[in-house]
């Protein structure tokens, strides 16, 4: 018998994964962090390494993994367009082969397994806000497809393992999330704008800045993960996790400028291909089943994120 529940977090040294590992340790779990450190980083979890209930295992989940745990959080996959487009074949592999490996592990262990899916399964949505019942509008052959279709195929695998093998699955569809430990160079809009504002570089708006996103603070998201994992069967999701507050990219730029007191100018650049025009989660299902909704307003979360990047820049660790 194990007194502590054992869980594994794939992608545990990444932005979301590291916050999840931290929270699971606080909740009394024995946490095995799996990461190949492709976009994840030891610096995200360095403060956890002294904890005897935390373990980092450098491993690529496209190869099988043999461990003994009770719960699996499958987060491994580069998540920013710059990173996932750098090696698109590997992106599809981590979602397909990686999911098969983790589902196989869950099957052997009879463990619960949660998939970190994404709002990208909705593609450039024709339904607004997006509900879980919407099947999406996804380009299968574009630059984002390795991620979008990879994550869609991962959902398919999760549901087939559920139907075929009776696996206990939980699928979260994550909308844009931000907070400390975002990768400073991964090109995400929140990190880009904050770093640009703090260093006096121009704020780069792609397109005319009228496209919208809904930004969820990382602590809120992690709470949603735990609640989802805690649901009783037969609940599987998919369930949207995100903040329904919707902002244009131009509004975000103005917020970051006023919060940092920066005098950076705003410049426009071409809109990347297949960049969704609108995105906002309908979180009725999460509210109903998980009794969950985000608590941290954008201004408060941005303030914490600005402070994080300010420290990172002044410590010289970004260069
Ligand atoms: N974006 C932008 N300037 C940047 C980085 C991103 O205007 O420096 C835009 C991007 O075109 C998209 C939105 O911000 O419309 C969110 O981009 P991000 O890469 O953060 O996430 P995703 O597109 O995956 O939602």
């Amino acid at each position: 018998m194990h007194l502590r529940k054992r869980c594994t977090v794939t992608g545990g040294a990444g932005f979301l994964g590291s916050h999840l590992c931290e929270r699971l340790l606080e909740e009394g779990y024995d946490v095995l962090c799996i990461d190949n450190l492709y976009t994840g980083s030891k610096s995200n979890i360095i403060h956890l390494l002294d904890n005897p209930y935390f373990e980092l295992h450098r491993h690529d989940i496209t190869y099988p993994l043999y461990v003994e745990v009770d719960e699996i959080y499958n987060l491994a996959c580069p998540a920013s367009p710059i990173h996932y487009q750098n090696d698109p074949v590997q992106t599809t592999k981590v979602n397909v082969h990686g999911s098969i490996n983790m589902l196989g592990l869950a099957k052997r262990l009879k463990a619960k397994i949660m998939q970190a899916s994404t709002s990208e399964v909705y593609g450039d949505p024709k339904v607004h806000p997006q509900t879980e019942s919407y099947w999406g509008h996804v380009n299968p052959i574009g630059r984002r497809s390795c991620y979008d279709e990879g994550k869609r195929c991962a959902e398919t695998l999760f549901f087939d393992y559920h139907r075929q093998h009776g696996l206990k699955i939980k699928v979260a569809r994550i909308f844009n999330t931000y907070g400390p430990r975002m990768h400073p160079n991964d090109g995400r809009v929140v990190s880009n704008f904050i770093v640009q504002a703090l260093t006096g570089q121009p704020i780069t708006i792609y397109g005319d800045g009228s496209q919208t996103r809904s930004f969820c603070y990382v602590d809120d998201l992690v709470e949603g993960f735990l609640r989802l994992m805690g649901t009783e069967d037969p609940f599987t999701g998919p369930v949207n996790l995100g903040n329904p507050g919707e902002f244009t990219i131009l509004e975000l730029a103005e917020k970051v400028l006023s919060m940092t007191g920066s005098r950076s100018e705003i410049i426009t650049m071409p809109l990347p291909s297949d960049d969704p025009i609108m995105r906002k989660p309908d979180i009725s299902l999460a509210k109903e089943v998980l009794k969950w909704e985000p608590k941290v307003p954008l201004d408060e979360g941005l303030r914490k994120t600005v402070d994080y990047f300010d420290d990172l820049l002044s410590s010289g660790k970004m260069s």
Side-chain angles (χ1 to χ4, degrees):
M1 267 308 285
H2 295 270
L3 294 177
R4 283 175 184 255
K5 255 196 177 173
R6 299 161 306 175
C7 64
T8 187
V9 179
T10 75
F15 161 50
L16 297 181
S18 63
H19 285 275
L20 177 60
C21 288
E22 206 170 79
R23 176 71 195 274
L24 288 166
L25 288 168
E26 281 166 25
E27 298 288 328
Y29 279 83
D30 185 322
V31 178
L32 171 62
C33 166
I34 305 288
D35 208 298
N36 68 353
L37 303 180
Y38 175 64
T39 55
S41 153
K42 271 191 186 167
S43 61
N44 286 338
I45 45 147
I46 204 145
H47 58 297
L48 306 177
L49 291 173
D50 284 342
N51 187 324
Y53 293 105
F54 179 79
E55 201 181 335
L56 168 65
H57 178 37
R58 193 190 287 226
H59 173 82
D60 178 340
I61 63 156
T62 60
Y63 296 93
L65 176 71
Y66 295 93
V67 295
E68 305 299 317
V69 290
D70 308 299
E71 292 178 358
I72 302 167
Y73 289 87
N74 189 35
L75 273 61
C77 182
S80 84
I82 290 186
H83 285 145
Y84 70 65
Q85 289 170 18
N86 189 43
D87 187 349
V89 172
Q90 182 65 17
T91 300
T92 302
K93 266 194 195 171
V94 75
N95 283 302
V96 178
H97 296 192
S99 293
I100 290 173
N101 287 330
M102 291 306 107
L103 286 159
L105 178 66
K107 185 178 158 207
R108 175 174 68 81
L109 300 172
K110 299 190 172 42
K112 267 194 204 175
I113 180 165
M114 192 201 88
Q115 167 66 356
S117 190
T118 166
S119 56
E120 288 283 326
V121 300
Y122 301 123
D124 189 4
K126 299 291 169 223
V127 166
H128 195 73
Q130 292 80 54
T131 51
E132 291 84 355
S133 56
Y134 177 50
W135 288 355
H137 178 240
V138 178
N139 177 357
I141 56 168
R143 300 222 174 260
R144 284 186 178 243
S145 311
C146 57
Y147 186 76
D148 299 10
E149 298 288 23
K151 289 282 188 183
R152 285 169 69 95
C153 186
E155 287 200 10
T156 307
L157 285 163
F158 268 68
F159 276 85
D160 282 334
Y161 268 78
H162 172 66
R163 281 183 289 255
Q164 206 173 325
H165 301 296
L167 244 68
K168 294 177 189 148
I169 61 157
K170 311 285 171 190
V171 176
R173 289 186 178 153
I174 306 168
F175 284 66
N176 296 62
T177 304
Y178 70 100
R181 300 194 207 126
M182 287 184 92
H183 201 296
N185 303 321
D186 74 358
R188 306 309 281 265
V189 69
V190 173
S191 44
N192 267 12
F193 286 2
I194 293 178
V195 171
Q196 288 162 347
L198 291 175
T199 54
Q201 299 169 65
I203 306 280
T204 53
I205 288 194
Y206 303 159
D208 63 5
S210 64
Q211 71 271 37
T212 67
R213 292 292 186 275
S214 307
F215 300 101
C216 184
Y217 188 65
V218 60
D219 291 355
D220 281 333
L221 186 80
V222 167
E223 176 65 30
F225 284 170
L226 266 69
R227 291 197 185 202
L228 175 58
M229 192 60 114
T231 53
E232 294 300 327
D233 293 330
F235 187 74
T236 56
V239 58
N240 288 339
L241 294 179
N243 192 321
E246 185 182 11
F247 296 87
T248 66
I249 295 304
L250 183 59
E251 282 170 336
L252 179 73
E254 284 163 352
K255 262 185 190 301
V256 170
L257 281 176
S258 78
M259 191 169 286
T260 52
S262 165
R263 294 166 71 178
S264 291
E265 58 169 337
I266 291 183
I267 59 168
T268 54
M269 293 172 74
L271 194 66
S273 64
D274 297 333
D275 197 284
I277 300 299
M278 294 181 296
R279 184 182 286 156
K280 169 187 161 122
D282 179 320
I283 58 163
S284 318
L285 183 64
K287 279 186 180 167
E288 184 197 323
V289 180
L290 312 182
K291 311 283 178 257
W292 175 90
E293 65 182 309
K295 299 264 184 289
V296 182
L298 184 58
D299 283 334
E300 188 185 325
L302 276 181
R303 167 55 50 213
K304 292 182 185 179
T305 315
V306 167
D307 290 347
Y308 167 78
F309 280 112
D310 214 5
D311 285 351
L312 201 67
L313 285 163
S314 48
S315 69
K317 284 190 190 137
M318 263 191 56
S319 46

